[in-house]
Amino acid sequence: MNRKKIQVLSIPYVIWIIGFTVIPLLFVFAKAVTSPQGAFTAGNLIAIFDPVHRKALFLSIELAFISSILCILISYPVALILRSSKIRNKKIILFVMILPMWMNFILRILAIQMLISKNGLINHFLSLLGLGKISIINTEAAIIIGMVYDYLPYMLLPVLNCVLAIPDDIIEASKDLGANRFTVLTKILIPLSLSGIGSGITMVFVPSMTEFVIANILGGGKIMLLGNVIEQEFSVTMNWNLGSGLSVTLMIFVLLTTLISGRTVSETDKGFVI
Amino acid sequence: MIGKILGKTYVGIVMLFLYAPIMVLIALSFNASRSRVLWTGFTLKWYTALFHSNAIMKAFGTTMALAFLSAAIASVIGLLAALAIYSMKRRDYKIMLFFTNIPLLNADIVTGIALMLWFVRFLPLGFSSVLMAHITFNIPYVILCILPKLETMDIRQFEAARDLGANSAYAFTRIMIPDLIPGILAGFFMAVTMSMDDFVITYFTKGAGVNTLSTLIYGEIRKGIKPEMYALSSVLFLLVLIILIVVNLLTGSEYKNSERR
């Protein structure tokens, strides 16, 4: 085949990449290193060390970290249980487990809000049972619940795919060679599923860290993550330069996360179950 | 035995966690009163109210137009790009995939802000700016759905057709396209659902006056949610469910074909 001729087909996409991915990002960088008057400054980038911003950054990382760990702790046992079960069509189970993520994102958070709010369904049932009320709405715990609920399917999908793909022969062989169940888990199953866990972490940690909607709805607008600070700079304070500077910082952390977990988006991601 | 029961219980609890909130929304859409906790009888009035609400219907129309238009345009650009990327040498291939990954890996908030900063330079924010933003984040999904299909495809069939005298356009439409259809459709519907689900990027690029369902709901959360929204969420969930099942049937039949071969 004539390679050169076929590669001409990529021209619309290359134009699109330059016009809608590269140039817009350059604009963010340009805004980040200038003052509103247009003079060159590093102030917007250094602004992350401002106590308010630093606190927001640390809180974002902390909540994203806790959410990712919780997602792993919930997903991994599910993968192990499904692996050892005799159900023939495991793809169907996988489909059912990730189905909720196709519900509109905002509606899912709204549903969580209705469940855990002060006059919500959970408190209603608790009072029917004569138990005390829980008050987690507008706390960091509520935000974590929202994040875990929203992003759990992103962890379930790669982890399940990865664990279910480990061949039985390897497990059999190790058992024949005298490995007990704990050794099989720590020396075979976990090492062989690290790639799934890795892409799961990217898929959970990055959106959690950059989140502002969940914090707005479940945190009552009082708990500020870095995403909330940036959103406010663009919609309330209207300091686009500072907002861009903080966005660049956020991008650096996103980049670090993907480098550490060592995964790019691949066939294990959302939707490729179909 | 006990382990088995414990295992099933555990999976059941995870399922409950995943589905309880959605079930509550759906249940409330049939609840006669506006109460969020008390069941006061079955009604369909929120569904009829839904179809009489101008704001909701308009946002629904915008959402659908955006989803299908952006998915269609992204599918064309993405298909052409996938064919080109597939034929590239290793270095160019990697460069293209790197740029394809940027919108997928970057934080939505940064993508949204970046596009907004760029759009305000040359066009009023509105439907067209949101459309371009959606095309931007949809193309990568299309490419990543089609590329694996190209890589597992038997290129010799195409070459055989060429040897037997078919010109490349004819061989392409008769040999390659039928093999690629499942990938193209999967990419298209993936893009549709991604576009329907997006909030953050739409929020930053929409400007005043345009609303998708996501931004409409977000705006109403502070004012208090109307029960029509629960009805809407149930309809949306059903819609996405239908799309997913259709796509699964399409790709599922393709798996059977390849097994037969």
Side-chain angles (χ1 to χ4, degrees):
Chain A
M1 244 190 299
N2 191 336
R3 276 168 177 257
K4 280 274 163 335
K5 249 189 201 163
I6 288 181
Q7 286 174 14
V8 170
L9 298 177
S10 69
I11 289 175
Y13 182 47
V14 172
I15 293 172
W16 202 276
I17 289 176
I18 295 169
F20 296 97
T21 301
V22 178
I23 293 179
L25 284 178
L26 290 179
F27 263 86
V28 175
F29 289 121
K31 281 260 175 213
V33 294
T34 48
S35 69
Q37 288 74 36
F40 178 81
T41 173
N44 299 318
L45 295 172
I46 298 171
I48 191 66
F49 297 109
D50 177 276
V52 179
H53 300 153
R54 199 176 49 199
K55 196 177 149 215
L57 172 68
F58 286 157
L59 189 61
S60 299
I61 294 174
E62 183 193 328
L63 296 192
F65 182 76
I66 296 173
S67 304
S68 306
I69 297 290
L70 285 175
C71 282
I72 297 174
L73 290 180
I74 295 171
S75 304
Y76 209 77
V78 173
L80 290 181
I81 291 163
L82 280 186
R83 195 192 149 77
S84 63
S85 83
K86 299 225 159 41
I87 305 166
R88 243 172 294 137
N89 206 338
K90 288 175 180 161
K91 280 273 166 200
I92 300 271
I93 306 270
L94 195 58
F95 177 73
V96 173
M97 292 209 113
I98 64 152
L99 189 58
M101 92 180 157
W102 301 100
M103 183 93 168
N104 188 288
F105 166 72
I106 303 280
L107 285 170
R108 273 180 292 159
I109 307 166
L110 189 69
I112 290 284
Q113 189 206 30
M114 292 195 325
L115 280 177
I116 64 175
S117 67
K118 216 170 261 166
N119 303 312
L121 208 58
I122 290 180
N123 272 341
H124 182 70
F125 279 118
L126 285 177
S127 64
L128 282 185
L129 294 169
L131 299 166
K133 289 191 167 189
I134 49 160
S135 55
I136 44 174
I137 191 78
N138 301 348
T139 65
E140 288 165 19
I143 299 177
I144 292 174
I145 292 175
M147 286 174 176
V148 172
Y149 179 65
D150 246 337
Y151 301 127
L152 182 62
Y154 292 108
M155 182 67 79
L156 275 171
L157 188 55
V159 167
L160 256 67
N161 268 333
C162 211
V163 171
L164 292 181
I166 298 171
D168 283 327
D169 311 3
I170 302 178
I171 315 267
E172 293 295 323
S174 65
K175 278 186 183 155
D176 289 346
L177 293 168
N180 59 28
R181 289 170 81 181
F182 182 74
T183 318
V184 169
L185 180 67
T186 53
K187 299 266 166 161
I188 312 263
L189 288 170
I190 291 180
L192 282 179
S193 47
L194 278 183
S195 69
I197 296 174
S199 53
I201 290 176
T202 316
M203 301 286 292
V204 174
F205 193 90
V206 171
S208 307
M209 183 173 60
T210 60
E211 184 53 55
F212 71 92
V213 181
I214 298 179
N216 259 352
I217 299 176
L218 297 177
K222 289 187 194 75
I223 300 170
M224 297 290 272
L225 302 182
L226 192 55
N228 297 83
V229 177
I230 295 174
E231 192 252 332
Q232 294 217 330
E233 291 302 337
F234 277 93
S235 62
V236 183
T237 332
M238 287 299 185
N239 188 344
W240 289 12
N241 297 83
L242 179 57
S244 298
L246 296 174
S247 299
V248 171
T249 317
L250 191 64
M251 254 195 290
I252 293 171
F253 277 90
V254 170
L255 199 66
L256 283 177
T257 315
T258 38
L259 286 179
I260 292 169
S261 56
R263 296 291 290 186
T264 51
V265 173
S266 68
E267 68 279 2
T268 48
D269 293 317
K270 181 174 182 177
F272 286 87
V273 66
I274 53 179
Chain B
M1 193 60 212
I2 291 168
K4 277 255 160 74
I5 294 168
L6 274 178
K8 274 188 183 151
T9 319
Y10 182 79
V11 175
I13 291 171
V14 174
M15 287 280 197
L16 186 70
F17 174 63
L18 287 169
Y19 276 91
I22 293 175
M23 291 305 142
V24 169
L25 277 185
I26 294 176
L28 284 178
S29 75
F30 296 109
N31 194 4
S33 78
R34 281 173 182 269
S35 167
R36 283 156 53 150
V37 289
L38 290 176
W39 180 256
T40 48
F42 182 87
T43 180
L44 286 174
K45 69 179 172 190
W46 306 125
Y47 286 86
T48 45
L50 171 70
F51 293 106
H52 289 111
S53 159
N54 269 334
I56 294 180
M57 280 297 112
K58 202 173 159 219
F60 181 73
T62 309
T63 307
M64 285 301 161
L66 262 178
F68 281 89
L69 243 121
S70 70
I73 298 171
S75 296
V76 174
I77 298 176
L79 172 63
L80 296 179
L83 290 169
I85 293 171
Y86 169 68
S87 72
M88 279 175 185
K89 295 206 179 76
R90 196 170 171 74
R91 187 183 55 110
D92 294 351
Y93 183 93
K94 286 206 152 171
I95 293 173
M96 290 301 278
L97 280 194
F98 170 79
F99 281 105
T100 303
N101 269 311
I102 290 179
L104 293 177
L105 290 175
N106 207 350
D108 279 359
I109 186 171
V110 179
T111 307
I113 286 168
L115 285 168
M116 187 262 275
L117 285 177
W118 173 223
F119 285 153
V120 292
R121 296 253 151 182
F122 64 93
L123 116 154
L125 294 183
F127 184 83
S128 50
S129 60
V130 181
L131 178 64
M132 282 194 263
H134 281 222
I135 295 170
T136 306
F137 69 73
N138 274 340
I139 297 175
Y141 288 108
V142 173
I143 292 180
L144 292 184
C145 277
I146 296 178
L147 213 48
K149 292 271 182 289
L150 274 169
E151 266 149 23
T152 54
M153 199 175 60
D154 190 356
I155 198 74
R156 283 169 304 183
Q157 292 185 0
F158 177 82
E159 281 158 3
R162 294 280 284 131
D163 289 345
L164 292 169
N167 64 33
S168 56
Y170 185 79
F172 175 73
T173 48
R174 298 304 293 267
I175 306 289
M176 285 176 79
I177 287 287
D179 269 3
L180 290 179
I181 286 259
I184 297 169
L185 283 177
F188 176 81
F189 283 111
M190 182 85 184
V192 168
T193 47
M194 283 298 155
S195 168
M196 280 172 65
D197 197 46
D198 178 69
F199 167 76
V200 175
I201 294 170
T202 313
Y203 176 74
F204 281 108
T205 52
K206 79 182 178 67
V210 177
N211 259 329
T212 64
L213 288 171
S214 295
T215 59
L216 184 73
I217 299 164
Y218 185 73
E220 284 198 356
I221 286 177
R222 287 172 202 164
K223 290 183 248 160
I225 289 292
K226 298 185 197 118
E228 287 93 321
M229 283 298 171
Y230 308 142
L232 177 70
S233 61
S234 312
V235 173
L236 275 184
F237 191 57
L238 192 69
L239 200 72
V240 173
L241 189 64
I242 293 169
I243 291 179
L244 279 178
I245 290 172
V246 168
V247 176
N248 264 299
L249 289 178
L250 288 173
T251 46
S253 59
E254 182 247 358
Y255 281 129
K256 273 173 219 139
N257 284 336
S258 59
E259 271 165 20
R260 225 177 288 142
R261 244 184 255 146

